[in-house]
């Protein structure tokens, strides 16, 4: 991706894209930030040279959330719907990206920053990072659905109702993060997982992410039926044929 961005740095190597939020001092999310993240993830979703993505923040902060200087004017008709639509899409582009996205949470992830981390497929937390939903301290509310996807009911309500900072070790204990590592190792740990994913069948990985997204709210029977439809579609794919051939030849498949 040759294009340069105001709020992001994008690097691609070995089928792994590293997307770094770079809007000093705390990677706050304004309209430009949201426009760029949508463009970036739409692009990476379609790129054949990208099989997994790492999302992290420059400096000591993952993202401190929405830029409060750009709050919509509630007295202006249509201002909040326009704003809310853009915010939703800035999260949806990560969830809908066909490639797995790994959050390397290197520091504070607050409000919309917390939600952005929770939109990723896998979360790797720095030991001194924290997630926090501060809306109740600011007379607002939001993020409940995203928080529920990663936390049990009691912990989700604790996070939302108290605006507490949930640190890396507690995120691991609560099952909201897959690993908790020192801050200087968090990006490397996420990239190592991304490289591992990149060795797998790209078609199968896309189908698996599609299944996660589609079946999240489906009953068991309907969800499993959808998964089987993905397997049926893959059974005649080039990736499946290569995997079968590699098994017969006792070697690793080359996707």
């Amino acid at each position: 991706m040759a294009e340069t961005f105001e709020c992001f740095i994008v690097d691609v190597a070995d089928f792994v894209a590293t997307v770094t939020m770079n809007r000093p001092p705390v990677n706050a999310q304004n309209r430009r930030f949201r426009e760029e993240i949508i463009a970036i993830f739409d692009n990476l979703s379609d790129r054949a040279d990208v099989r997994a993505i790492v999302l992290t923040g420059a400096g000591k902060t993952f993202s401190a959330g929405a830029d409060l200087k750009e709050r919509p004017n509630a007295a202006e008709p249509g201002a909040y719907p326009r704003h809310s639509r853009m915010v939703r899409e800035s999260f949806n582009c990560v969830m809908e990206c066909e490639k797995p996205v790994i959050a390397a949470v290197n520091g504070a992830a607050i409000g919309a920053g917390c939600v952005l981390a929770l939109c990723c497929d896998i979360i790797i937390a720095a030991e001194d990072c924290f997630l926090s939903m501060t809306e109740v301290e600011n007379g607002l509310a939001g993020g409940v659905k995203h928080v529920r996807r990663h936390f049990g009911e009691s912990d989700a309500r604790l996070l939302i109702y108290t605006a507490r900072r949930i640190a890396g070790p507690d995120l691991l204990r609560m099952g909201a993060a897959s690993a908790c590592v020192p801050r200087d190792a968090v990006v490397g740990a996420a990239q190592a997982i991304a490289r591992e994913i990149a060795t797998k069948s790209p078609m199968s990985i896309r189908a698996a992410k599609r299944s996660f997204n589609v079946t999240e709210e489906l009953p068991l029977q309907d969800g499993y039926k959808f998964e089987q439809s993905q397997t049926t579609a893959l059974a005649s794919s080039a990736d499946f044929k290569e995997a079968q051939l590699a098994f017969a030849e006792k070697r690793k498949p080359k996707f």
Side-chain angles (χ1 to χ4, degrees), residues 5-27:
F5 299 94
E6 290 182 18
C7 306
F8 292 86
I9 300 170
V10 181
D11 294 301
V12 177
D14 301 324
F15 294 106
V16 173
T18 301
V19 179
T20 305
M21 294 174 277
N22 187 37
R23 187 168 184 259
V26 292
N27 300 321

Side-chain angles (χ1 to χ4, degrees), residues 209-218 226:
K209 179 158 184 179
R210 193 176 303 121
S211 290
F212 272 110
N213 286 343
V214 170
T215 65
E216 184 171 356
E217 302 297 335
L218 291 180
F226 178 83

Side-chain angles (χ1 to χ4, degrees), residues 172-193:
L172 183 63
R173 175 182 60 80
M174 293 173 176
S178 295
C180 181
V181 300
R183 181 191 292 233
D184 60 3
V186 69
V187 173
Q191 289 174 330
I193 294 171

